[in-house]
Amino acid sequence: MRGTYAVPYASRGSILGEAEAKALDQLIGSDGSLSAGSVRDRFEKRFREHIGTRHALSVTSGTVALELAIHLLDLKEGDEVIVTPQTFQATAQPLLGLPVSVRFCDVDPDSLNIDPATLKSLITDRTRAVLLVHYGGWTAEMDEIMAMTRDRNITVVEDCAHALGAMYDGRRPGALGDIGCFSFHSSKNITTLGEGGMITVDRDDWAERLDRLRSNEVDGDFSPARHQGLTTGRELLPWMKYASSAYEQVCSHIRRPGTNATLSEAAAAVGLVQMDRLHGLVECRREVARRLDEVVARHPYTRLQQPRPGVRHAQHLYTFFVDGPPGLREAVIRALDVRGVEVQLRYLPLHLLPEWRERGHGLGECPVAEKLWFSQHVNLPCQPGLSDQQVDHLVAALDDVLRSEVKGPSCLSST
């Protein structure tokens, strides 16, 4: 692959400008805290109101959001968790450190989301949770999934890293399941200075536990002390840290120690501005996707992603499928590369990674995901930072490649 592209797969998925710089300048010029202050509170309030949940708690990354969400599941040895294979490794990585059985659920061939029919066949009396992703910004079929999990006390965790700006029958991802996890990484639809994350929940007890964990406090069972005073007999003055809790509480069980997952005030300040931009950023992505759809639709051996009515795609990824003779997808990708368009395939199915093969998973476990990733699906740049000239180049290059390459086996002699 070439080092310089006319249309790169850029590392920034949103646009930063004067408004973000002004917010940072105001923060730096103030005398407020730069950690766990009022700006973070405002960002979380804005986010929970946008998503439609009782709580939204910011953390330092989407990966941390997923780690803490999985901790809330209180999984025990022998429990089963069902996971989508078509996602970034962070979705399921925390499960590698737990004594649970992971079952990978194959995907729908159009959306690349977890397939509800396959999911139903995998649920057992030991299933405790489902970890799914809204792949590329197309929401999974959540009503169907929740209908088969709710009565069985199975917790559904939404990995919404791709889905900010999406809609599902008038509702937003992050409020469709039990726990929502968002990423504000540099590549995502909005960013909080490169890293950041958010967890959305409705349950007050989960919100309390999450707040303790991200604030370097223990997630455990605490109860009032039977008597006041410490056995040392030494007085704790009111302004000493922990004076109240040391006297008044006892801890009977520790689930896990806390960590510092505090989103900085600077990151939250940028996040607030980015929320104002969100609709426009997603519309930019959707316009690029619309133009690419027009090209893909008029060529043979190609297949569009077409969400049903009621589903609004956030277009974090633009995906289409080359469904033709063996080797055709590779010929298309190589031809795009020659024409200056960078292609990145997202993602190798998780169950084929070495760490999951070590746990007993492997080829053949999710045949639909495997077939699509190895021979059909293509991801193209669609970020809002593309210039008009770059979008024109992308559209023209795709049209030229599909016209010249997608004709049948005779075009594959060079591959």
Side-chain angles (χ1 to χ4, degrees):
M1 298 296 181
R2 304 185 323 168
T4 303
Y5 291 91
V7 187
Y9 211 106
S11 60
R12 289 193 183 185
S14 67
I15 296 172
L16 299 165
E18 291 183 6
E20 286 83 1
K22 182 179 179 180
L24 290 172
D25 186 59
Q26 290 175 341
L27 177 66
I28 293 169
S30 73
D31 60 357
S33 172
L34 295 178
S35 176
S38 62
V39 181
R40 186 187 71 168
D41 293 342
R42 287 163 49 207
F43 180 40
E44 292 177 347
K45 180 176 185 293
R46 175 76 178 278
F47 201 87
R48 69 174 177 263
E49 290 174 349
H50 175 79
I51 298 299
T53 54
R54 286 175 54 81
H55 304 281
L57 295 98
S58 61
V59 290
T60 46
S61 71
T63 298
V64 169
L66 287 159
E67 289 174 355
L68 297 184
I70 289 172
H71 169 71
L72 289 181
L73 303 178
D74 294 325
L75 297 171
K76 299 177 176 58
E77 186 171 1
D79 288 345
E80 293 180 353
V81 180
I82 300 173
V83 180
T84 177
Q86 191 59 63
T87 183
F88 182 56
Q89 63 199 53
T91 303
Q93 193 158 245
L95 297 173
L96 286 168
L98 299 174
V100 298
S101 175
V102 173
R103 310 190 76 185
F104 285 99
C105 178
D106 214 346
V107 299
D108 175 85
D110 295 320
S111 68
L112 300 178
N113 288 322
I114 201 166
D115 176 47
T118 305
L119 174 63
K120 185 175 182 179
S121 71
L122 293 176
I123 292 175
T124 73
D125 291 340
R126 295 165 59 190
T127 305
R128 297 292 174 264
V130 175
L131 302 185
L132 57 83
V133 68
H134 303 299
Y135 180 84
W138 178 346
T139 53
E141 284 299 328
M142 293 301 296
D143 284 347
E144 193 173 350
I145 291 168
M146 296 306 294
M148 70 178 74
T149 57
R150 181 68 72 200
D151 292 342
R152 304 189 69 155
N153 200 30
I154 297 171
T155 303
V156 176
V157 179
E158 302 174 70
D159 183 341
C160 304
H162 298 177
L164 190 58
M167 294 291 287
Y168 177 84
D169 294 336
R171 295 168 288 156
R172 300 187 189 278
L176 303 173
D178 298 299
I179 307 172
C181 297
F182 293 82
S183 171
F184 308 133
H185 181 268
S186 177
S187 65
K188 298 303 187 290
N189 287 16
I190 69 168
T191 186
T192 50
L193 288 179
E195 295 286 357
M198 192 78 75
I199 310 173
T200 53
V201 294
D202 280 327
R203 282 178 49 172
D204 295 343
D205 60 327
W206 277 353
E208 182 180 355
R209 289 175 64 185
L210 288 168
D211 190 39
R212 293 182 65 85
L213 283 167
R214 70 171 179 174
S215 304
N216 247 330
E217 296 185 31
V218 172
D219 178 21
D221 293 325
F222 293 85
S223 59
R226 293 180 181 177
H227 55 80
Q228 299 295 316
L230 298 177
T231 56
T232 61
R234 295 185 178 181
E235 181 181 8
L236 294 179
L237 301 175
W239 50 82
M240 292 180 177
K241 190 170 178 61
Y242 304 122
S244 176
S245 60
Y247 272 119
E248 298 174 1
Q249 293 182 324
V250 293
C251 179
S252 58
H253 174 67
I254 298 173
R255 297 185 187 91
R256 66 163 277 179
T259 187
N260 182 4
T262 304
L263 188 71
S264 74
E265 289 291 275
V270 170
L272 274 168
V273 178
Q274 289 273 288
M275 288 296 292
D276 290 336
R277 292 186 185 269
L278 175 60
H279 177 75
L281 292 170
V282 173
E283 286 305 308
C284 285
R285 290 176 175 273
R286 288 168 60 83
E287 176 59 20
V288 176
R290 183 192 64 78
R291 293 188 61 186
L292 293 172
D293 279 352
E294 289 179 350
V295 174
V296 173
R298 60 176 176 256
H299 290 280
Y301 290 142
T302 58
R303 182 165 57 88
L304 291 169
Q305 281 196 318
Q306 294 182 305
R308 65 165 176 80
V311 173
R312 183 177 187 269
H313 203 311
Q315 294 297 167
H316 174 67
L317 300 176
Y318 179 82
T319 304
F320 76 98
F321 304 95
V322 177
D323 189 2
L328 184 55
R329 194 273 304 265
E330 302 309 317
V332 168
I333 291 175
R334 291 179 185 276
L336 285 168
D337 189 75
V338 168
R339 288 163 177 79
V341 175
E342 184 177 12
V343 176
Q344 294 186 6
L345 301 182
R346 309 257 174 125
Y347 305 90
L348 177 74
L350 285 188
H351 64 289
L352 302 180
L353 293 177
E355 57 267 33
W356 288 107
R357 298 202 310 273
E358 194 277 334
R359 293 279 292 262
H361 301 278
L363 199 63
E365 189 169 349
C366 297
V368 176
E370 294 164 18
K371 177 183 177 181
L372 294 173
W373 194 84
F374 281 109
S375 65
Q376 292 188 13
H377 103 231
V378 181
N379 299 130
L380 295 178
C382 69
Q383 65 271 16
L386 292 173
S387 67
D388 291 343
Q389 292 77 15
Q390 286 177 314
V391 175
D392 289 343
H393 183 100
L394 171 62
V395 170
L398 180 62
D399 194 34
D400 182 44
V401 165
L402 294 182
R403 183 181 299 110
S404 61
E405 298 291 336
V406 183
K407 294 180 179 179
S410 61
C411 72
L412 304 178
S413 57
S414 64
T415 65

